[in-house]
Amino acid sequence: MLDSTTATQVIAGTGRLAHAGPDHPPVPPSRVGILLANLGTPDGTDYWSMRRYLNEFLSDRRVIEWSPLIWQPILQGIVLTKRPFSSGEAYRGIWNTELDESPLLTITRSQTEKLRRRMEAEFGAGVVVDFCMRYGNPSTDSVIRRMAKQGCERILFFPLYPHYAAATTGTANDHAFRTLMKLRWQPAFRTVPSYHDDPKFIEALALSVEKAYAAMEQRPTALVTSYHGLPRSYFLKGDPYHCFCQKTSRLLGERLGWEKGEIHTTFQSRFGPEEWLTPYTVEYVAELARQGHKHIAIMAPGFSSDCVETLEEINEEIRESFEEAGGERFDYIPCLNDDEAHIDMIESIVRREAQGWL
């Protein structure tokens, strides 16, 4: 099961090592930590909450690779003066008012709780399952420190991004490593790699499509898989993200048994003046409508949780583009969220990547 060498040396209920002197600092029993990491969320929809969140996000050198000498004056003087208002309005349209938090936070917490129950059923208190955000709260730094205090001498860090990109998985790992650099006693640390082609991920996506299609009276004539965009320059520098997205769409089509061309891969959420990965979702769905596709379905395989990019951008801006071009029915297939097939996939990857620890 778990390595209990340290745990057996701790006197129960005291936090004191059996052979240590009375002045030895308390030592918790040895545990394994599983840490799910998502993108992040503002603490609220007001101007200052949005500004803090956007400043942290858009100041990340992995996200915006321009020189700070050029970018920071633009960010502080122009972007953060206006964008918190529009972003706040977008978040207010999807906000979980009951819990006063974003859907991404609600869903990530639920994913964590479901995984925690599964791990505790087998390993008891020997495994700690928690979650953190790259931007906003709960911060990566605070959660890693808390897990270390709980005795997590080994931590499996699981960025919830199926498709590796330096601006997502890369920066999440960077942030975690920066915390490790400041710890006196570092835990052993593993990071979960891209899982864009994991059979259980493809299966979960396929099941979500089949479930959605079964509930429709008429089958859509096209399925659009919309992924978050990335500047084309990042791809040209060697980022594998574009290739990973294309592979997911291909494997999904193969699993569904569909003909080539029934699934259309696009990219959304452009920001700034430079060229991004194409085709752009908002333009592509309009072109589908002009080509005679009156009924389409769309999904976002790159997002582990529904968020402002799916609930607001896809369901409003992209839907409007399709309908204004003559489209009649637009069906959005939700992200995998806390669906049991998604939790099965997460658990499977955790068990694989934590071999020797669990």
Side-chain angles (χ1 to χ4, degrees), residues 254-275:
E254 292 174 0
R255 160 58 181 79
L256 291 169
W258 292 3
E259 295 294 327
K260 185 177 181 180
E262 289 189 73
I263 294 180
H264 305 255
T265 300
T266 63
F267 299 89
Q268 65 181 87
S269 308
R270 276 182 291 168
F271 178 79
E274 64 179 303
E275 182 184 0

Side-chain angles (χ1 to χ4, degrees), residues 36 49 51 62 85 92 96 103 128 146 177 186 198 213 233 238 249 267 279 292 302 320 342 352 354:
L36 305 183
S49 293
R51 184 179 176 110
R62 287 280 204 179
F85 291 109
R92 280 190 290 275
N96 182 341
V128 175
R146 180 169 70 232
F177 296 148
Q186 289 182 339
D198 187 283
Y213 274 42
S233 61
S249 294
F267 299 89
E320 289 174 6
H342 194 201
R352 182 182 70 226

Side-chain angles (χ1 to χ4, degrees), residues 156 158 190-193 348-357:
L156 178 66
F158 196 141
R190 294 179 182 172
T191 61
V192 169
S348 172
I349 293 174
V350 164
R351 289 179 178 275
R352 182 182 70 226
E353 298 301 324
Q355 287 186 64
W357 288 2

Side-chain angles (χ1 to χ4, degrees), residues 13-296:
T14 67
R16 187 165 60 82
L17 294 173
H19 301 289
D23 60 343
H24 194 285
V27 178
S30 177
R31 295 183 172 95
V32 172
I34 310 298
L35 182 53
L36 305 183
N38 214 328
L39 175 74
T41 171
D43 294 325
T45 61
D46 60 282
Y47 175 84
W48 290 108
S49 293
M50 291 304 311
R51 184 179 176 110
R52 283 194 302 272
Y53 173 71
L54 291 171
N55 184 47
E56 183 181 10
F57 177 39
L58 297 176
S59 292
D60 187 345
R61 294 294 306 279
R62 287 280 204 179
V63 174
I64 306 293
E65 295 188 0
W66 296 359
S67 166
L69 295 176
I70 298 173
W71 173 238
Q72 280 299 319
I74 298 173
L75 176 64
Q76 302 300 328
I78 300 175
V79 177
L80 294 180
T81 300
K82 301 178 179 180
R83 195 173 178 89
F85 291 109
S86 58
S87 294
E89 182 179 359
Y91 269 97
R92 280 190 290 275
I94 65 165
W95 202 248
N96 182 341
T97 54
E98 182 179 351
L99 297 177
D100 191 24
E101 63 188 27
S102 74
L104 182 141
L105 178 56
T106 303
I107 294 166
T108 306
R109 182 187 299 109
S110 180
Q111 293 167 336
T112 302
E113 290 173 349
K114 287 188 174 185
L115 179 64
R116 181 185 295 129
R117 286 196 290 271
R118 295 185 181 201
M119 293 290 103
E120 288 181 348
E122 182 170 350
F123 302 111
V127 172
V128 175
V129 180
D130 213 331
F131 74 96
C132 66
M133 300 295 178
R134 170 59 183 89
Y135 314 104
N137 297 303
S139 70
T140 301
D141 183 87
S142 66
V143 179
I144 289 179
R145 289 177 182 275
R146 180 169 70 232
M147 295 180 86
K149 290 180 179 178
Q150 291 174 303
C152 294
E153 296 179 8
R154 301 172 175 84
I155 295 177
L156 178 66
F157 187 66
F158 196 141
L160 291 169
Y161 305 108
H163 311 84
Y164 176 91
T168 54
T169 309
T171 188
N173 290 340
D174 288 348
H175 207 45
F177 296 148
R178 279 192 285 268
T179 295
L180 296 182
M181 290 171 64
K182 295 179 285 188
L183 295 182
R184 172 70 61 181
W185 185 355
Q186 289 182 339
F189 204 80
R190 294 179 182 172
T191 61
V192 169
S194 175
Y195 53 94
H196 62 282
D197 56 356
D198 187 283
K200 285 187 177 292
F201 175 56
I202 302 302
E203 180 67 16
L205 292 175
L207 290 175
S208 72
V209 173
E210 291 170 344
K211 179 181 178 181
Y213 274 42
M216 299 177 192
E217 294 181 2
Q218 189 173 13
R219 179 187 172 93
T221 57
L223 172 63
V224 176
T225 52
S226 182
Y227 299 86
H228 198 289
L230 192 76
R232 179 172 169 77
S233 61
Y234 296 10
F235 166 69
L236 295 176
K237 292 175 183 176
D239 201 299
Y241 178 76
H242 177 266
C243 302
F244 288 172
C245 294
Q246 295 286 354
K247 187 174 184 181
T248 291
S249 294
R250 176 176 61 80
L251 292 176
L252 174 60
E254 292 174 0
R255 160 58 181 79
L256 291 169
W258 292 3
E259 295 294 327
K260 185 177 181 180
E262 289 189 73
I263 294 180
H264 305 255
T265 300
T266 63
F267 299 89
Q268 65 181 87
S269 308
R270 276 182 291 168
F271 178 79
E274 64 179 303
E275 182 184 0
W276 282 44
L277 297 178
T278 58
Y280 302 134
T281 305
V282 69
E283 297 174 1
Y284 195 86
V285 297
E287 183 59 30
L288 285 176
R290 287 190 286 268
Q291 291 175 2
H293 292 274
K294 300 301 182 183
H295 180 195
I296 68 170

